[in-house]
Amino acid sequence: EDQVTQSPEALRLQEGESSSLNCSYTVSGLRGLFWYRQDPGKGPEFLFTLYSAGEEKEKERLKATLTKKESFLHITAPKPEDSATYLCAVQATGGSYIPTFGRGTSLIVHP
Amino acid sequence: GAGVSQTPSNKVTEKGKYVELRCDPISGHTALYWYRQSLGQGPEFLIYFQGTGAADDSGLPNDRFFAVRPEGSVSTLKIQRTERGDSAVYLCASSRRDRGYQETQYFGPGTRLLVL
């Protein structure tokens, strides 16, 4: 069974204090790993897709990296508007297109 | 272009009533997914459509839940004899399924269902 574990559950940062969120996964074969941002009362907003170990993608203050067992979402010099829940999901090979989501990391950035 | 839309945004109903939740996917997206999200949890898969047919309904919790997509575009999630435990946010997502195209799902804003 595919499993996704995100840590920490919650993270409080001061504005400008860089940090990383972790997504550990267990899957028979990885088709893709997805990062989403979810604001309160909204649906998840797509950020990145990673397909193979060693791959990296960046968008503004966010950078996602992937190894064979985990992915990191690095946040550089965060701003209060980066406050949200960040969700990780994995999609396995083998025919099913159903991603398995983690519980998310709730990030609060204080000014 | 327009994103995934869902109606209603909020639905309050009484235990035992029937509800319908609607999803309008991104134009041209052939795959459509329904998820349920409880507070503090990630989205939990319910059902997946490829075109008009339900390709995978293994996530539906019981036979009170049913979904249709008659013309391969708009989908309706139907819940009969609602229970308080059905209270959650129901999310819809769509994706393109062209060969070789990345399987990224784009989500709607969700319908917040409260069963009293």
Side-chain angles (χ1 to χ4, degrees), chain A residues 61-78:
Chain A
R61 295 176 294 281
L62 300 176
K63 179 180 176 179
T65 62
L66 180 65
T67 72
K68 289 186 177 180
K69 295 183 178 181
E70 58 192 350
S71 176
F72 290 94
L73 185 65
H74 307 277
I75 304 177
T76 302

Side-chain angles (χ1 to χ4, degrees), chain A residues 34 36 38 41-44 46 49 51 57 87 91 96-99 101-103, chain B residues 33 35 37 40-43 45 48 56 91 97 102-105 107-109 112:
Chain A
F34 305 88
Y36 288 85
Q38 187 172 27
K42 303 278 184 71
F46 170 72
T49 307
Y51 293 102
K57 289 193 177 175
L87 293 166
Q91 195 175 54
S96 171
Y97 291 89
I98 311 304
F101 280 83
R103 292 187 172 187
Chain B
Y33 305 76
Y35 294 86
Q37 187 176 28
Q41 305 292 317
F45 168 72
Y48 154 54
D56 186 338
L91 293 165
R97 286 296 307 278
Q102 62 181 356
E103 191 61 35
T104 300
Q105 297 183 15
F107 282 82
R112 282 144 197 82

Side-chain angles (χ1 to χ4, degrees), chain B residues 24-47:
Chain B
D24 201 337
I26 293 172
S27 177
H29 281 195
T30 59
L32 185 146
Y33 305 76
W34 283 99
Y35 294 86
R36 179 168 67 176
Q37 187 176 28
S38 301
L39 194 63
Q41 305 292 317
E44 173 192 18
F45 168 72
L46 295 176
I47 186 169

